[in-house]
Amino acid sequence: MSSVHWLGTGLSSIPGLRRLLKKNYNVFVWNRTLNKAQTLLGDLTNNIYKFDFSELETKIKGGDILISMLPASHHLDIAKLCLRKNANFICSSYISEELQVLNSDVIKKGLVFLNEVGLDPGIDHLMAHDLVKQYKESYSFDQN
């Protein structure tokens, strides 16, 4: 069975991670600050590890999915790891020239590498409108 390895538990990670964990997907959480990840997600899983590239490399199997919410400076090394291990790669950054160079190898191996594709500013804008709407609905405006 394939596993999901989620790297980084920043603010934008928690809702998606909690949803996956509540649905009992096989998720491994990796974070630079172990205590933070345990505090945020420990009620749903014990599969929480301190992010260590060497340790991560020992856990990855072919067909796994790595989702990196780490800074972009980590993505090239993680993508190369995915190529070596025949794993799929998703990250929160736009594609860099260095990642683009890997594309032909990704295609040859039949893997999926997915970078941020320009939705983030639009999603943030949409969520801001939703928050304003919720606020207005929760607050009684005096129309007089």
Side-chain angles (χ1 to χ4, degrees):
M1 177 166 105
S2 295
S3 299
V4 173
H5 297 268
W6 193 294
L7 317 178
T9 60
L11 184 61
S12 60
S13 293
I14 301 307
L17 260 170
R18 291 190 67 82
R19 177 173 277 171
L20 289 174
L21 291 167
K22 285 178 181 177
K23 291 187 180 242
N24 295 316
Y25 285 97
N26 192 29
V27 178
F28 294 85
V29 178
W30 301 82
N31 199 52
R32 293 178 290 179
T33 308
L34 185 60
N35 189 39
K36 176 185 173 189
Q38 289 170 332
T39 299
L40 294 168
L41 302 163
D43 61 317
L44 297 174
T45 185
N46 292 320
N47 287 334
I48 301 173
Y49 303 92
K50 181 164 179 54
F51 178 75
D52 176 276
F53 193 83
S54 298
E55 182 68 20
L56 175 66
E57 189 170 11
T58 67
K59 302 286 188 196
I60 304 304
K61 300 182 307 290
D64 283 357
I65 302 167
L66 278 76
I67 301 172
S68 179
M69 300 299 284
L70 297 173
S73 60
H74 292 280
H75 291 161
L76 182 60
D77 290 334
I78 295 166
K80 287 180 177 179
L81 170 63
C82 288
L83 274 174
R84 286 194 307 277
K85 296 287 192 160
N86 292 314
N88 301 288
F89 173 70
I90 300 170
C91 77
S92 58
S93 296
Y94 292 112
I95 191 163
S96 65
E97 290 179 23
E98 296 84 8
L99 284 172
Q100 184 64 40
V101 170
L102 305 177
N103 192 51
S104 62
D105 291 331
V106 171
I107 292 169
K108 285 178 194 171
K109 290 188 170 212
L111 298 171
V112 173
F113 277 34
L114 180 65
N115 295 84
E116 203 284 324
V117 291
L119 295 175
D120 189 39
I123 292 170
D124 288 347
H125 187 74
L126 179 64
M127 293 305 295
H129 278 283
D130 188 50
L131 289 172
V132 170
K133 179 181 175 228
Q134 288 177 34
Y135 173 74
K136 285 180 178 178
E137 290 172 352
S138 70
Y139 185 78
S140 175
F141 287 103
D142 188 352
Q143 299 293 325
N144 298 324

